[in-house]
Amino acid sequence: MSAVMLAANRPTEFRFEPADHAAISAFVYDAAGILLPPGKMQLVYGRLAPRVRACGLTRFADYIDLIDQDEVERTRALDALTTNHTSFFRESHHFDHFMDHAWPALDHRLASRGKVRIWSAACSSGEEPYSLLMAMFGTERGNGQRLARTDLRILGTDLSTEILEAARAGRYSLETAASIPQPLRSVWVARDGDQAEVHPLVRERVAFRKLNLLESWPMRGMFDAIFCRNVMIYFDEATKERLQSRLADQLEPGGFLYIGHSERLAASVAPRFTCVGRTTFQKVAS
């Protein structure tokens, strides 16, 4: 079969029609609330073409039929379409704010045998929660060992099963690990050939779990800080508002919410918070 054209002068391996894109967009919106407008057609093709090939198909229409029937392949398609870019210490001002304004009181609580709970929502491959822990542990191995004996836990959740497996492994390319500040990298990251491995003391503090932010949440306890960054940009306004309200419900009074640099609180949710920094909000005590 001759190649069809997805964009001007760009041949494609598989037949991919606008109707196929519309069907996939509807599937992803229903499953994850993510918007994939027609302008994302090239992205969708690039993410799913390897799956079409792996399934031995030649048309996206046939692949759509397959994911309608096959739960395993449906999960693989969703993983491919929802895995997003991240990096260590991304939007570093959030980590600076946390360490300056949230951490001192939380550290004191831990020293008094209290507990601290932090949620990294949409944690992707783990760089965000690991960055936070390395910042808390600091440059002294002894301080990390002290904190490892306390009731400090971070929950890292994501929709993608595959990306969570990578997060649990805590292994990254040397290029990826280079964005960790050297004083922290020298203590909490070990080189293993052409990869960098996060220290077990750091990895053990994070519980990685699969979670769809739009479905029910199993967590019963409240969080002292929630990082939910650069995921709401893919949602429509109604979905953003519902999610932000639920995040506020899950946050302790006085706790901090960190969102992405291009994200904003909905008008109905904003009164529940005080803005205390760039895309940084503190929940108002009730």
Side-chain angles (χ1 to χ4, degrees), residues 18-279:
D20 300 330
H21 177 79
I24 292 169
S25 296
F27 149 65
V28 173
Y29 182 80
D30 289 343
I34 293 174
L35 297 173
L36 292 173
K40 299 289 187 180
M41 196 169 175
Q42 183 68 50
L43 179 146
V44 169
Y45 181 91
R47 293 284 183 91
L48 290 184
R51 293 306 317 154
V52 178
R53 187 181 306 112
C55 293
L57 303 174
T58 58
R59 299 189 313 152
F60 266 77
D62 295 330
Y63 185 71
I64 292 166
D65 289 341
L66 176 63
I67 62 177
D68 282 343
Q69 303 165 22
D70 187 328
E71 184 177 351
V72 173
E73 190 58 36
R74 188 160 56 248
T75 298
R76 289 170 177 160
L78 200 57
D79 281 0
L81 290 167
T82 58
T83 301
N84 298 301
H85 169 75
T86 187
S87 61
F88 284 103
F89 290 91
R90 184 181 185 186
E91 297 180 44
S92 60
H93 60 277
H94 285 154
F95 298 98
D96 293 339
H97 178 275
F98 178 87
M99 292 304 298
D100 290 342
H101 299 282
W103 178 239
L106 297 178
D107 191 19
H108 179 75
R109 186 195 301 170
L110 291 170
S112 304
R113 299 189 177 182
K115 69 177 182 180
V116 170
R117 296 292 184 267
I118 299 168
W119 181 15
S120 172
C123 67
S124 190
S125 45
E127 287 92 328
E128 180 176 270
Y130 289 148
S131 295
L132 193 57
L133 276 167
M134 282 187 264
M136 288 187 282
F137 281 11
T139 58
E140 297 292 333
R141 184 69 59 85
N143 188 55
Q145 292 169 338
R146 173 185 69 84
L147 289 171
R149 294 191 293 269
T150 68
D151 197 358
L152 166 65
R153 299 290 186 275
I154 294 183
L155 173 66
T157 66
D158 202 272
L159 184 61
S160 169
T161 303
E162 183 177 351
I163 208 69
L164 286 171
E165 292 176 358
R168 292 187 187 99
R171 294 176 64 85
Y172 303 91
S173 70
L174 297 178
E175 181 180 5
T176 297
S179 59
I180 304 171
Q182 196 280 331
L184 294 175
R185 189 170 69 247
S186 65
V187 177
W188 301 115
V189 178
R191 181 167 181 170
D192 183 11
D194 61 352
Q195 289 193 304
E197 184 174 45
V198 176
H199 194 283
L201 210 61
V202 176
R203 297 202 312 272
E204 290 164 2
R205 294 296 95 192
V206 188
F208 289 105
R209 299 289 185 269
K210 182 175 181 178
L211 182 70
N212 187 329
L213 291 174
L214 304 191
E215 297 178 354
S216 60
W217 298 348
M219 304 88 74
R220 296 181 180 179
M222 304 284 277
F223 293 93
D224 300 293
I226 298 175
F227 287 70
C228 186
R229 307 187 303 167
N230 304 304
V231 62
M232 288 182 280
I233 55 175
Y234 301 104
F235 298 157
D236 60 23
E237 293 304 318
T239 303
K240 291 177 189 177
E241 185 175 12
R242 287 194 300 271
L243 175 58
Q244 290 173 6
S245 180
R246 295 177 71 194
L247 291 172
D249 291 343
Q250 206 74 45
L251 194 60
E252 291 278 9
F256 294 95
L257 173 65
Y258 300 90
I259 63 177
H261 70 278
S262 63
E263 298 168 337
R264 301 292 180 267
L265 291 186
S268 64
V269 179
R272 303 180 66 179
F273 290 91
T274 298
C275 181
V276 292
R278 283 190 291 163
T279 54

